[in-house]
Amino acid sequence: MIRFIILQNRQGKTRLAKYYIPLEESEKHKVEYEVHRLVVNRDPKFTNFVEFRNHKVIYRRYAGLFFSLCVDITDNELAYLESIHLFVEILDHFFSNVCELDLVFNFHKVYLILDEFILAGELQETSKKAIIERMGELEKQE
Amino acid sequence: MNPFSSGTRLRDMIRAIRACKTAAEERAVVRKECASIRAAISEDDPDYRHRNLAKLMFIHMLGYPTHFGQMECLKLIASPGFPEKRIGYLGLMLLLDERQEVLMLVTNSIKQDLNQTNQYIVGLALCALGNICSAEMARDLAPEVERLLQFRDPNVRKKAALCTIRIIKKVPDLAENFINPAAALLKEKHHGVLLTGVQLCTEICKVSTEALEYLRKKCITGLVKVLRDLTNSPYAPEYDISGITDPFLHIRLLKLFHVLGHGDADASDTMSDILAQVATKTETNKNAGNAILYECVATILSIEDNGGLRVLAVNILGRFLSSRDNNIRYVALNMLMKAIALDSQAVQRHRATILECVKDPDASIRKRALELVYLLVNESNVKPLTKELVDYLEVSEAEFKGDLTAKICSIVEKFSPEKIWYIDQMVKVLTQAGNYVKDEVWHALIIVITNAPNLHGYTVRALYKAVQTAGGQETLVRVAVWCIGEYGEMLVGNSGMLDVEERINVTEADAVDVIETAIRCHSSDLTTRAMCLIALLKLSSRYPSCTKRINDIILQQKGSLVLELQQRAIEFNSIIERHEKIRSALVERMPVLDEATYSGRRAGSVPAAVSTSQGALPKIPNGVVKPASAALVDLLDLSSDADQAPSSSGGDYLQDLLGVDLAPASQGTNQTDKRGADVLLDLLSIGAPPAQSSSSMLDMLSSGQDNKSAVGMLDNLASPSAPSAQASSPGASSSMMDLLDGFGPSPSVPETNGPTYPSIVAFESNSLKITYKFSKEPGNPQTTIIEAQFVNKSPDIYSNFVFQAAVPKFLQLHMDPASGNILPESGNGSITQKLRVSNSQHGKKSLVMRMRISYKANDKDVLEEGQVNNFPRGL
């Protein structure tokens, strides 16, 4: 199960944080700080997996943004690495060559996309096309 | 109207915040915005609620508190329009979580939304429910969700499936209701619904055995077919990732097989073919393929044995291990730990590669590899493996050293084939990374050393050499100091040389140098210095020529600010200077520490406080540091419950140390008792005539109310010479006698075994006479009741008359209040006081008592003291 997803830039500013487990606000900030410290200094040649408390963090860096996923110890790391990539591709498609600024100004849309991709800590849909189409339908409802 | 299409206010706010140069500026902007939002909330303004919540969410993401917006979410959710609901649910998921009571208020709105026909709204509600619902909400809304599992729109079905996962996690009892609908989902064609259905089934099986049975019986063949179709499916652009159709679905199906096949041979059989197919046919050049393979291997290793499949799995892992991709190597190391349990031989083949991974620059890989190596060690490969690890210890990074050291010590301890190898390895580890070695480890090392008498010389010489080069490693210094202290004569005498050794020339001065350096070093802590002091004491006996120098070093610590060091320094100095005769007996070779007891003790859960004090023991030859007072009392248990067998389990390790084991080792101690007593005397400065010293002692032995603790304090001071004193009872009683100012052994009064005893004059001086009358309680021969009578022989009246008494430890004294505290002159009256003495050595030792009488006569304070030795025997 995915416990949380965090998008952070190199300076540690959180651009997106979605938690699938209950945490106090202060704990959330602590977690974000620790995760940032963990991933920002790692050599790119190293593995994309780090142990974090009793769980694992799977992360990847895309340009200036770190996408970090915290999962249970027993989960398949390689699979979640693929899911991070799928998410980035969806964002890229939706925002047409996404950059960090897009994510800042349209944060609510990013959350909506995320909610179509992952629910209750598990993958919901694996087709990029299906998600983009759904976002389109939802936009029409507005 | 889409409020985001113009989006000026939200966008403007974001721009304004981003334009802030300092944190203070940003706080100001945020504060302003929050104020206007709060105003709008209190006005209950419906128009901009939507926008305000969006702004609030952004502010929340920046890290500012936004609780005041929670009710806004609820209001938005309750609105009829889709855009409002959407932002409302979004806000709900961001600003609230399941632990907050406000969430309950939303239950009704969610219920209504779940019952709507508009699938988008239903979707919104399911999403919110699935992400943050609490157990109560789950219970309330489960029926709705169950119904929605069969909704016409696949989007709703897949969301309902995931929502159900959360529901059964929160309320496992509800799982039974969902078994059938979940199984139905497995027949779906839509990948999304199928994926979520598979995930739901996996979760249900974990929670409910009934579900597990059902799925095993009914659905396995269907699932196998699905996987087969998937694996063989042609190119499907929508789900293609790196040439594989929907790898996520592959992986999820494999996970479900994992759960279904584990522990069930039939199920495992049914799936073995497809597993073999997946394992062999999947492309491995891309991450997606490797992810599938990895999951496949995990499944194979957890289902029931199928020899061919397992071999396949381990081979795949072996291939992964030699991959250049770090991620792949990492997962391989992870999975190999599981494989070891099943087929350790196969994994042993990859030992060399795994050892290489321990040295990898990536910390994650190093950690996994080290864990794996630890599992791989067995008797046959322990030597080469340890050699590799110890070599690596030299160059490893500081943060890794701790882990590595702990593992090496553990391996060495468990698997060492012979003691000399163990000692060698430990010396190496201590040299490289002594500071990371835990206390129990080096304590265990010392125990092993004491148990290997033929290696004493070798060990002390090896340690001496090691300390020359690695004096900075404190633990190494401690062990070396202890050994030099114990086996000092072997060090300089080159005795017990083994074939592999070379002669080294160590003079006594060199050995003392080592200890002197350690004690002088600024970074040495209390334990090290304390150990040095003891070692010096031992050496003063073993190296007679160095005694003066050693004494000087000890004297330097006399003024130490740390009580422990000061005390030791003073005591040892005293022993060296004044008690030559007993010194050698005091510092004889330590008794062999019992390995089995110690390791049993370590294995069990020993409370921390106790273990640290016991852990400290091996380095203390004769004395007691500051363990629990219970240990102290037992130590000097001169009233010795002589049959008290030292108990190895639970009870004081101290007793083990200084109880049974002491007997064979200390042949000569009996004679030393008298001298031991002299030591006690000196230590307590009792031999000194001035009244204040003896009165100070008597102060401690108060008016007899609480004798046990008083004598316990006595024990405190007497500690260093403990073991000699404990050995034999008669010696002990004589020492106790000496303690009470050396009056000599109890006089032999003719044995009176009858119940009546003659009264005695306990004390007589020019001014005072004290008589004791005895009686015994019937049926209680150990207890004597003494009636003391005080008579004033002088012409002055005594006032503030106080009588105090003290007894040795084997006696217990209770005093009743005196009849008065004014003693009339010249025998015109008397004061009586009842004392009760219990003799635990009744029949073996007779009573002894020391008295102190104070009173005021002619406005002058008078103090008299005496000892009663003429108690009738047999009391």
Side-chain angles (χ1 to χ4, degrees), chain B residues 73-82 84-90 92 105-129 141 144-145 147-148 151 156:
Chain B
C73 301
L74 271 58
K75 288 187 199 149
L76 280 167
I77 291 173
S79 343
F82 179 80
E84 286 79 27
K85 279 193 194 287
R86 195 185 198 192
I87 198 88
Y89 276 117
L90 207 53
L92 188 78
L105 301 172
V106 144
T107 316
N108 212 23
S109 303
I110 295 187
K111 190 170 189 172
Q112 286 177 357
D113 285 339
L114 287 177
N115 286 322
Q116 296 225 12
T117 45
N118 180 338
Q119 55 127 319
Y120 299 106
I121 295 184
V122 177
L124 286 178
L126 279 172
C127 184
L129 200 62
L141 299 170
E144 264 69 32
V145 176
R147 183 181 53 79
L148 289 170
F151 198 84
V156 169

Side-chain angles (χ1 to χ4, degrees), chain B residues 357-374:
Chain B
C357 290
V358 176
K359 306 177 191 162
D360 198 277
D362 184 346
S364 306
I365 291 194
R366 276 205 302 261
K367 248 173 127 174
R368 293 270 132 243
L370 187 59
E371 300 264 352
L372 193 51
V373 163
Y374 184 67

Side-chain angles (χ1 to χ4, degrees), chain B residues 257-275:
Chain B
F257 283 156
H258 178 139
V259 172
L260 292 176
H262 181 71
D264 185 297
D266 290 329
S268 309
D269 252 344
T270 326
M271 53 179 79
S272 53
D273 278 342
I274 188 62
L275 287 175

Side-chain angles (χ1 to χ4, degrees), chain B residues 70 117 212 260 353 369 419 426 429 577 824 832 852:
Chain B
Q70 287 174 0
T117 45
L212 185 58
L260 292 176
T353 330
K419 288 207 164 108
M426 286 307 296
V429 171
E577 285 182 357
T832 52
R852 176 189 182 199

Side-chain angles (χ1 to χ4, degrees), chain B residues 489-685:
Chain B
E489 73 280 8
M490 294 180 121
L491 176 60
V492 288
N494 269 316
S495 52
M497 285 205 68
L498 305 176
D499 302 328
V500 294
E501 285 189 76
E502 300 170 355
R503 275 191 91 80
I504 55 170
N505 272 329
V506 185
T507 63
E508 294 179 351
D510 291 333
V512 179
D513 278 342
V514 170
I515 306 194
E516 187 172 4
T517 320
I519 205 173
R520 289 248 178 96
C521 177
H522 287 297
S523 55
S524 297
D525 68 358
L526 168 60
T527 316
T528 315
R529 293 203 188 162
M531 290 176 80
C532 288
L533 282 172
I534 292 258
L536 285 170
L537 180 66
K538 296 182 196 172
L539 287 181
S540 75
S541 162
R542 309 208 203 295
Y543 299 163
S545 59
C546 292
T547 310
K548 173 87 180 49
R549 180 183 169 197
I550 288 177
N551 201 20
D552 287 338
I553 303 175
I554 293 183
L555 277 173
Q556 278 164 11
Q557 295 296 317
K558 221 174 167 180
S560 164
L561 289 173
V562 181
L563 179 60
E564 175 69 22
L565 297 177
Q566 195 188 102
Q567 182 178 338
R568 287 192 191 201
I570 294 175
E571 290 169 355
F572 298 163
N573 176 44
S574 170
I575 295 179
I576 291 178
E577 285 182 357
R578 286 185 265 171
H579 301 288
E580 297 263 339
K581 289 169 277 181
I582 61 158
R583 187 180 50 185
S584 50
L586 278 177
V587 296
E588 271 186 14
R589 190 76 89 229
M590 275 281 280
V592 170
L593 303 164
D594 184 12
E595 278 181 289
T597 318
Y598 190 74
S599 55
R601 175 158 287 283
R602 266 178 69 197
S605 52
V606 179
V610 178
S611 63
T612 45
S613 64
Q614 294 174 345
L617 288 175
K619 68 187 196 301
I620 313 298
N622 297 315
V624 174
V625 197
K626 294 284 175 262
S629 51
L632 270 173
V633 174
D634 284 341
L635 178 62
L636 270 194
D637 205 354
L638 301 171
S639 71
S640 72
D641 312 318
D643 312 320
Q644 187 179 30
S647 48
S648 315
S649 60
D652 296 302
Y653 182 73
L654 201 43
Q655 281 194 310
D656 288 343
L657 180 59
L658 299 163
V660 175
D661 290 342
L662 190 58
S666 58
Q667 263 92 352
T669 42
N670 277 345
Q671 302 95 285
T672 68
D673 284 342
K674 202 71 171 64
R675 290 165 283 168
D678 289 341
V679 178
L680 284 174
L681 272 180
D682 272 358
L683 285 170
L684 301 169
S685 314

Side-chain angles (χ1 to χ4, degrees), chain B residues 692-763:
Chain B
Q692 46 274 41
S693 56
S694 38
S695 62
S696 64
M697 186 196 84
L698 282 174
D699 277 336
M700 291 186 303
L701 315 171
S702 60
S703 53
Q705 303 303 33
D706 194 359
N707 219 35
K708 198 115 199 206
S709 68
V711 187
M713 276 169 54
L714 205 56
D715 294 346
N716 246 328
L717 293 178
S719 54
S721 60
S724 349
Q726 193 194 2
S728 57
S729 321
S733 74
S734 70
S735 75
M736 220 11 158
M737 301 288 281
D738 288 339
L739 192 63
L740 304 173
D741 215 21
F743 273 74
S746 54
S748 49
V749 175
E751 196 114 6
T752 34
N753 284 326
T756 55
Y757 301 89
S759 48
I760 57 167
V761 173
F763 175 79

